[in-house]
Protein backbone atom coordinates (compact mmCIF):
# COMPACT_ATOMS: atom_id res chain seq x y z
CA UNK A 1 0.00 0.00 0.00
CA UNK A 2 1.17 3.47 -0.73
CA UNK A 3 -0.26 6.70 0.58
CA UNK A 4 1.25 10.13 0.54
CA UNK A 5 0.46 13.18 2.69
CA UNK A 6 1.56 16.77 2.48
CA UNK A 7 1.40 18.21 5.98
CA UNK A 8 2.20 21.89 6.43
CA UNK A 9 1.42 22.90 10.02
CA UNK A 10 4.16 25.51 10.15
CA UNK A 11 7.10 23.80 8.55
CA UNK A 12 6.42 21.62 5.55
CA UNK A 13 6.46 17.81 5.51
CA UNK A 14 6.20 15.51 2.50
CA UNK A 15 5.44 11.96 3.61
CA UNK A 16 4.88 8.67 1.86
CA UNK A 17 4.70 5.06 2.97
CA UNK A 18 5.68 1.95 1.02
CA UNK A 19 4.01 -0.99 2.71
CA UNK A 20 5.16 -3.74 0.40
CA UNK A 21 5.89 -7.38 1.11
CA UNK A 22 9.03 -7.17 -1.03
CA UNK A 23 12.08 -4.94 -1.17
CA UNK A 24 13.71 -3.57 -4.28
CA UNK A 25 16.98 -2.91 -2.45
CA UNK A 26 16.08 0.75 -2.02
CA UNK A 27 18.01 3.10 0.24
CA UNK A 28 18.24 6.76 1.09
CA UNK A 29 20.13 8.34 -1.80
CA UNK A 30 21.40 11.90 -1.99
CA UNK A 31 22.15 13.29 -5.42
CA UNK A 32 24.48 16.22 -4.90
CA UNK A 33 24.20 19.41 -6.92
CA UNK A 34 25.55 19.06 -10.43
CA UNK A 35 25.96 15.27 -10.42
CA UNK A 36 25.48 14.61 -14.13
CA UNK A 37 22.00 13.29 -14.96
CA UNK A 38 21.80 11.58 -18.35
CA UNK A 39 18.45 11.25 -20.11
CA UNK A 40 17.48 8.90 -22.93
CA UNK A 41 16.06 11.55 -25.24
CA UNK A 42 17.09 14.85 -23.69
CA UNK A 43 20.46 16.52 -23.17
CA UNK A 44 22.19 15.73 -19.89
CA UNK A 45 21.77 18.11 -16.95
CA UNK A 46 25.04 18.94 -15.20
CA UNK A 47 23.92 21.97 -13.20
CA UNK A 48 20.96 21.36 -10.90
CA UNK A 49 19.47 21.31 -7.41
CA UNK A 50 20.53 18.63 -4.94
CA UNK A 51 17.93 16.06 -3.92
CA UNK A 52 17.44 13.35 -1.33
CA UNK A 53 15.01 10.46 -1.41
CA UNK A 54 14.40 6.74 -1.49
CA UNK A 55 15.87 5.11 -4.57
CA UNK A 56 17.40 2.05 -6.07
CA UNK A 57 21.00 2.69 -7.04
CA UNK A 58 21.15 1.24 -10.55
CA UNK A 59 24.85 1.42 -11.35
CA UNK A 60 25.15 5.08 -10.37
CA UNK A 61 21.70 6.12 -11.61
CA UNK A 62 19.25 6.83 -8.76
CA UNK A 63 15.88 5.29 -9.60
CA UNK A 64 13.89 7.45 -7.20
CA UNK A 65 10.61 6.24 -5.70
CA UNK A 66 10.20 9.67 -4.08
CA UNK A 67 12.50 12.58 -3.27
CA UNK A 68 12.70 16.23 -2.29
CA UNK A 69 15.14 18.83 -3.53
CA UNK A 70 17.04 21.53 -1.66
CA UNK A 71 14.24 24.05 -2.41
CA UNK A 72 11.65 21.91 -0.64
CA UNK A 73 9.95 20.62 -3.78
CA UNK A 74 8.94 16.98 -3.22
CA UNK A 75 7.70 14.34 -5.62
CA UNK A 76 6.56 10.73 -5.20
CA UNK A 77 5.49 8.00 -7.63
CA UNK A 78 2.61 5.79 -6.45
CA UNK A 79 1.23 2.69 -8.06
CA UNK A 80 -1.44 3.38 -10.70
CA UNK A 81 -1.93 0.00 -12.38
CA UNK A 82 -4.19 -0.46 -15.44
CA UNK A 83 -4.50 3.31 -15.83
CA UNK A 84 -0.94 4.57 -16.37
CA UNK A 85 -0.12 4.77 -20.06
CA UNK A 86 3.22 6.07 -21.28
CA UNK A 87 3.75 7.23 -24.80
CA UNK A 88 6.05 6.93 -27.80
CA UNK A 89 8.65 9.66 -28.27
CA UNK A 90 7.00 12.77 -29.73
CA UNK A 91 8.83 15.36 -31.76
CA UNK A 92 8.77 18.86 -30.29
CA UNK A 93 8.24 17.64 -26.72
CA UNK A 94 10.58 17.09 -23.79
CA UNK A 95 10.61 13.29 -23.95
CA UNK A 96 11.21 11.91 -20.46
CA UNK A 97 11.03 8.22 -19.54
CA UNK A 98 8.89 7.51 -16.47
CA UNK A 99 11.99 6.52 -14.43
CA UNK A 100 13.60 9.88 -15.33
CA UNK A 101 10.60 11.95 -14.31
CA UNK A 102 11.57 12.65 -10.67
CA UNK A 103 15.19 13.68 -11.47
CA UNK A 104 13.98 15.84 -14.40
CA UNK A 105 11.51 17.84 -12.29
CA UNK A 106 13.48 18.03 -9.03
CA UNK A 107 16.72 19.02 -10.66
CA UNK A 108 15.12 22.09 -12.29
CA UNK A 109 12.03 23.24 -10.39
CA UNK A 110 11.87 24.93 -6.99
CA UNK A 111 8.08 25.31 -6.77
CA UNK A 112 4.90 23.73 -8.04
CA UNK A 113 4.47 26.67 -10.44
CA UNK A 114 7.91 26.00 -11.93
CA UNK A 115 7.13 22.28 -12.14
CA UNK A 116 3.93 23.11 -14.06
CA UNK A 117 5.97 25.01 -16.66
CA UNK A 118 8.18 21.95 -17.20
CA UNK A 119 5.13 19.68 -17.28
CA UNK A 120 3.57 21.71 -20.09
CA UNK A 121 6.41 20.56 -22.37
CA UNK A 122 6.80 16.95 -21.20
CA UNK A 123 5.86 13.72 -22.90
CA UNK A 124 6.33 10.71 -20.59
CA UNK A 125 7.76 7.88 -22.66
CA UNK A 126 7.43 4.13 -22.25
CA UNK A 127 11.20 3.52 -22.33
CA UNK A 128 12.50 1.04 -19.81
CA UNK A 129 15.56 1.59 -17.63
CA UNK A 130 16.75 -1.90 -18.63
CA UNK A 131 15.31 -5.11 -20.05
CA UNK A 132 15.54 -6.63 -16.58
CA UNK A 133 13.13 -4.06 -15.10
CA UNK A 134 9.45 -3.52 -15.64
CA UNK A 135 8.14 -0.07 -16.49
CA UNK A 136 6.33 1.02 -13.31
CA UNK A 137 2.70 2.07 -13.77
CA UNK A 138 2.72 5.22 -11.64
CA UNK A 139 1.02 8.51 -11.00
CA UNK A 140 2.81 11.29 -9.14
CA UNK A 141 2.21 13.81 -6.40
CA UNK A 142 4.31 16.98 -6.42
CA UNK A 143 4.29 19.55 -3.61
CA UNK A 144 6.33 22.57 -2.59
CA UNK A 145 7.04 24.09 0.78
CA UNK A 146 4.03 26.42 0.64
CA UNK A 147 1.89 23.26 0.78
CA UNK A 148 0.74 23.72 -2.86
CA UNK A 149 0.35 20.39 -4.54
CA UNK A 150 -0.51 18.79 -7.89
CA UNK A 151 -1.07 15.30 -9.25
CA UNK A 152 0.20 14.07 -12.62
CA UNK A 153 -1.56 11.19 -14.36
CA UNK A 154 -0.88 9.89 -17.85
CA UNK A 155 -4.00 8.08 -19.01
CA UNK A 156 -5.14 6.67 -22.34
CA UNK A 157 -6.52 10.12 -23.22
CA UNK A 158 -3.27 11.96 -22.45
CA UNK A 159 -1.40 13.58 -19.60
CA UNK A 160 -3.35 15.39 -16.87
CA UNK A 161 -2.01 17.82 -14.30
CA UNK A 162 -4.52 18.34 -11.49
CA UNK A 163 -4.36 20.87 -8.68
CA UNK A 164 -4.54 18.87 -5.48
CA UNK A 165 -6.66 20.65 -2.86
CA UNK A 166 -6.38 17.81 -0.34
CA UNK A 167 -2.60 17.34 -0.51
CA UNK A 168 -2.64 13.57 -0.53
CA UNK A 169 -2.58 10.67 -2.96
CA UNK A 170 -3.02 6.91 -2.83
CA UNK A 171 -3.56 4.67 -5.85
CA UNK A 172 -6.49 3.83 -8.16
CA UNK A 173 -8.92 5.12 -9.32
CA UNK A 174 -8.04 8.35 -11.17
CA UNK A 175 -7.51 11.43 -9.02
CA UNK A 176 -10.77 13.24 -10.05
CA UNK A 177 -12.73 10.15 -8.98
CA UNK A 178 -10.90 10.07 -5.64
CA UNK A 179 -11.79 13.72 -5.06
CA UNK A 180 -15.41 13.18 -6.09
CA UNK A 181 -15.73 10.25 -3.69
CA UNK A 182 -15.03 12.62 -0.77
CA UNK A 183 -18.56 13.95 -1.33
CA UNK A 184 -19.83 10.75 0.23
CA UNK A 185 -18.11 11.57 3.54
CA UNK A 186 -19.23 15.14 4.17
CA UNK A 187 -20.92 14.20 7.41
CA UNK A 188 -17.78 12.60 8.87
CA UNK A 189 -16.46 14.87 11.60
CA UNK A 190 -13.89 15.11 14.38
CA UNK A 191 -16.71 16.52 16.55
CA UNK A 192 -19.45 14.60 18.30
CA UNK A 193 -22.32 13.94 15.86
CA UNK A 194 -25.61 15.80 16.17
CA UNK A 195 -28.69 13.67 16.32
CA UNK A 196 -30.25 14.17 12.88
CA UNK A 197 -31.69 10.67 13.00
CA UNK A 198 -34.85 11.54 14.89
CA UNK A 199 -35.83 14.13 17.49
CA UNK A 200 -38.10 11.52 18.98
CA UNK A 201 -35.27 9.51 20.48
CA UNK A 202 -32.28 10.39 22.64
CA UNK A 203 -28.86 9.48 21.34
CA UNK A 204 -25.85 9.03 23.59
CA UNK A 205 -22.43 10.33 22.65
CA UNK A 206 -21.14 7.06 24.09
CA UNK A 207 -17.63 7.18 22.63
CA UNK A 208 -15.01 9.69 21.63
CA UNK A 209 -14.48 9.67 17.87
CA UNK A 210 -18.12 8.88 17.17
CA UNK A 211 -18.22 11.51 14.44
CA UNK A 212 -15.61 9.56 12.46
CA UNK A 213 -17.48 6.26 12.65
CA UNK A 214 -18.49 6.36 8.99
CA UNK A 215 -14.97 6.69 7.67
CA UNK A 216 -14.28 3.73 5.36
CA UNK A 217 -12.24 1.02 7.05
CA UNK A 218 -10.74 -0.82 4.09
CA UNK A 219 -7.09 -0.94 3.05
CA UNK A 220 -8.14 -0.38 -0.58
CA UNK A 221 -6.83 2.80 -2.19
CA UNK A 222 -10.17 4.63 -2.24
CA UNK A 223 -10.78 4.02 1.46
CA UNK A 224 -7.21 5.03 2.30
CA UNK A 225 -7.59 8.24 0.33
CA UNK A 226 -10.63 9.26 2.40
CA UNK A 227 -8.94 8.40 5.70
CA UNK A 228 -5.65 10.08 4.84
CA UNK A 229 -7.46 13.27 3.73
CA UNK A 230 -9.62 13.31 6.86
CA UNK A 231 -6.67 12.69 9.17
CA UNK A 232 -4.58 15.32 7.46
CA UNK A 233 -7.21 18.04 7.73
CA UNK A 234 -8.02 17.22 11.33
CA UNK A 235 -4.56 16.47 12.70
CA UNK A 236 -3.41 18.49 15.68
CA UNK A 237 -0.84 21.10 14.76
CA UNK A 238 2.12 21.53 17.09
CA UNK A 239 4.99 23.98 17.33
CA UNK A 240 7.89 21.57 17.21
CA UNK A 241 9.21 19.42 14.40
CA UNK A 242 9.36 16.41 16.70
CA UNK A 243 5.65 16.61 17.58
CA UNK A 244 4.57 17.26 13.99
CA UNK A 245 6.53 14.28 12.68
CA UNK A 246 5.02 12.21 15.48
CA UNK A 247 1.61 13.22 14.17
CA UNK A 248 2.42 12.62 10.51
CA UNK A 249 4.04 9.20 10.79
CA UNK A 250 1.12 7.27 12.34
CA UNK A 251 -1.24 8.80 9.80
CA UNK A 252 0.88 7.31 7.07
CA UNK A 253 1.84 4.09 8.78
CA UNK A 254 -1.76 3.20 9.63
CA UNK A 255 -3.34 4.49 6.47
C1 LIG B 1 5.54 -0.75 -6.23
C2 LIG B 1 5.82 0.70 -5.84
C3 LIG B 1 4.49 1.41 -5.61
C4 LIG B 1 3.87 0.99 -4.32
C5 LIG B 1 2.41 1.29 -4.31
O1 LIG B 1 1.95 2.37 -4.68
N1 LIG B 1 1.62 0.28 -3.90
C6 LIG B 1 0.18 0.33 -3.87
C7 LIG B 1 -0.36 -1.01 -4.18
S1 LIG B 1 -1.95 -0.96 -4.85
O2 LIG B 1 -1.93 -0.22 -6.09
O3 LIG B 1 -2.87 -0.36 -3.88
O4 LIG B 1 -2.32 -2.34 -5.08
C8 LIG B 1 6.60 1.46 -6.90
C9 LIG B 1 6.85 2.92 -6.45
C10 LIG B 1 8.17 3.37 -7.08
C11 LIG B 1 8.54 2.20 -8.02
C12 LIG B 1 10.02 2.07 -8.40
C13 LIG B 1 10.52 3.36 -9.05
O5 LIG B 1 9.63 3.81 -10.09
C14 LIG B 1 11.95 3.20 -9.61
C15 LIG B 1 12.14 1.96 -10.52
C16 LIG B 1 11.52 2.17 -11.89
C17 LIG B 1 11.72 0.94 -12.80
O6 LIG B 1 11.05 1.17 -14.02
C18 LIG B 1 11.15 -0.30 -12.13
C19 LIG B 1 11.80 -0.55 -10.78
C20 LIG B 1 11.64 0.67 -9.83
C21 LIG B 1 12.57 0.34 -8.63
C22 LIG B 1 10.18 0.84 -9.37
C23 LIG B 1 9.62 -0.42 -8.68
C24 LIG B 1 8.15 -0.24 -8.18
O7 LIG B 1 7.29 -0.10 -9.29
C25 LIG B 1 8.01 0.99 -7.25
C26 LIG B 1 8.80 0.65 -5.98
Amino acid sequence: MCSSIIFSPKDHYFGRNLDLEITFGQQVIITPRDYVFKFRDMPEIDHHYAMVGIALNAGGYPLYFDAANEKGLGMGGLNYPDNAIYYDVKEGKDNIASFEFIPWILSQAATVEEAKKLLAKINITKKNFSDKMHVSPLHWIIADKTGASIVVETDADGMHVYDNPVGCLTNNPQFPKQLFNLNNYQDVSPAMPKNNFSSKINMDGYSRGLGSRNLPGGMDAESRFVRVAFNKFNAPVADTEEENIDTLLPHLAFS
Side-chain angles (χ1 to χ4, degrees):
M1 257 82 59
C2 288
S3 309
S4 173
I5 300 188
I6 312 308
F7 186 48
S8 309
K10 193 167 96 183
D11 299 331
H12 169 70
Y13 303 92
F14 185 108
R16 180 265 176 87
N17 64 358
L18 192 78
D19 295 338
L20 291 177
E21 62 280 23
I22 49 165
T23 177
F24 291 86
Q26 67 269 25
Q27 50 190 312
V28 175
I29 294 190
I30 295 170
T31 303
R33 284 179 199 145
D34 305 348
Y35 177 88
V36 177
F37 271 125
K38 293 194 188 319
F39 297 92
R40 297 293 157 97
D41 295 292
M42 296 299 292
E44 66 183 30
I45 297 184
D46 59 6
H47 184 56
H48 61 78
Y49 298 132
M51 62 194 80
V52 58
I54 298 295
L56 179 64
N57 181 355
Y61 190 94
L63 287 169
Y64 277 113
F65 300 14
D66 44 72
N69 70 17
E70 61 182 285
K71 297 291 178 189
L73 189 72
M75 180 164 177
L78 283 78
N79 220 28
Y80 187 50
D82 305 325
N83 280 314
I85 302 275
Y86 306 132
Y87 314 108
D88 291 325
V89 168
K90 279 190 200 131
E91 213 172 306
K93 300 292 278 186
D94 289 350
N95 290 291
I96 304 295
S98 59
F99 66 86
E100 299 170 334
F101 194 26
I102 290 180
W104 179 260
I105 296 290
L106 294 189
S107 59
Q108 304 179 78
T111 62
V112 161
E113 280 314 308
E114 288 181 19
K116 279 182 175 173
K117 287 190 187 127
L118 293 172
L119 288 165
K121 295 183 278 179
I122 285 181
N123 174 51
I124 306 281
T125 71
K126 49 173 79 147
K127 288 195 179 166
N128 211 346
F129 180 76
S130 83
D131 290 344
K132 294 197 187 88
M133 273 184 212
H134 66 281
V135 175
S136 291
L138 302 174
H139 56 176
W140 294 267
I141 182 168
I142 303 176
D144 65 27
K145 64 181 181 188
T146 68
S149 155
I150 53 175
V151 168
V152 181
E153 296 185 335
T154 56
D155 299 304
D157 63 349
M159 180 166 124
H160 302 277
V161 179
Y162 301 108
D163 286 328
N164 184 349
V166 294
C168 54
L169 186 66
T170 59
N171 308 105
N172 280 333
Q174 290 98 333
F175 186 66
K177 291 185 184 164
Q178 294 277 26
L179 276 188
F180 181 80
N181 181 45
L182 292 180
N183 282 298
N184 297 318
Y185 298 95
Q186 293 178 58
D187 61 343
V188 173
S189 161
M192 272 300 184
K194 246 182 70 202
N195 175 9
N196 295 318
F197 192 84
S198 167
S199 57
K200 299 206 167 65
I201 48 173
N202 278 332
M203 297 282 190
D204 284 335
Y206 68 92
S207 167
R208 294 176 72 186
L210 207 51
S212 65
R213 185 179 163 91
N214 291 328
L215 276 175
M219 296 309 286
D220 60 287
E222 208 175 42
S223 299
R224 280 185 281 117
F225 189 94
V226 178
R227 284 202 303 278
V228 169
F230 178 81
N231 289 344
K232 175 222 157 103
F233 283 124
N234 295 293
V237 166
D239 280 334
T240 67
E241 181 176 305
E242 199 181 14
E243 286 171 288
N244 284 323
I245 288 177
D246 242 22
T247 300
L248 178 67
L249 289 181
H251 288 159
L252 284 175
F254 301 118
S255 60

